[in-house]
């Protein structure tokens, strides 16, 4: 460690000493030579469907179908009324 920090050493020796110290430290402290962070494993939790009751879904679907049917009936009634009023009146 001293040789890697010493100003009196040549650059080649300093680099070699630094390299040796880093390799020894990495092996001693169980570190990898990669400087990139290791990816952490992703853990996905699946939340169960709680408070889901199929009868409510069926009831909602039926009520929606009834509302749509009533809406279409009203539209058909208005359209038939418009068709009747749009007929040409015969001249007398």
């Amino acid at each position: 460690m001293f040789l890697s920090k010493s100003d009196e050493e040549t650059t080649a020796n300093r680099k070699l000493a630094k390299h040796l110290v880093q390799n020894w430290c990495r092996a001693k402290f169980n570190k990898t030579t990669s400087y990139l962070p290791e990816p952490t494993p992703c853990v996905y939790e699946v939340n169960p469907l709680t408070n889901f009751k199929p009868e409510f879904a069926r009831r909602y679907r039926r009520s929606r179908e009834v509302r749509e049917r009533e809406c279409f009936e009203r539209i058909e009634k208005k359209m038939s009324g418009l068709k009747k009023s749009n007929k040409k009146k015969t001249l007398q």
Side-chain angles (χ1 to χ4, degrees):
M1 187 71 178
F2 174 75
L3 292 178
S4 66
K5 299 289 184 181
S6 175
D7 292 335
E8 297 173 1
E9 276 298 320
T10 62
T11 29
N13 279 348
R14 205 175 316 137
K15 285 181 183 179
L16 180 64
K18 186 176 182 179
H19 179 70
L20 289 172
V21 167
Q22 284 181 353
N23 284 346
W24 178 81
C25 288
R26 290 196 174 279
K28 187 78 171 167
F29 298 115
N30 198 18
K31 297 289 183 180
T32 63
T33 55
S34 172
Y35 292 103
L36 298 174
E38 294 180 10
T40 57
C42 295
V43 178
Y44 296 101
E45 292 182 14
V46 177
N47 294 332
L49 292 175
T50 56
N51 299 329
F52 177 75
K53 297 181 181 174
E55 62 267 8
F56 290 137
R58 277 188 237 114
R59 194 179 310 153
Y60 174 76
R61 187 174 57 236
R62 281 191 213 121
S63 66
R64 193 175 99 202
E65 289 171 356
V66 168
R67 281 183 275 144
E68 286 177 355
R69 192 176 329 114
E70 290 172 353
C71 181
F72 286 127
E73 287 172 358
R74 277 187 273 133
I75 291 172
E76 288 295 324
K77 187 176 178 182
K78 286 182 182 180
M79 292 298 287
S80 65
L82 287 174
K83 287 179 184 176
K84 287 179 185 177
S85 68
N86 283 343
K87 287 185 179 177
K88 292 183 180 178
K89 295 180 182 178
T90 57
L91 295 174
Q92 295 181 354

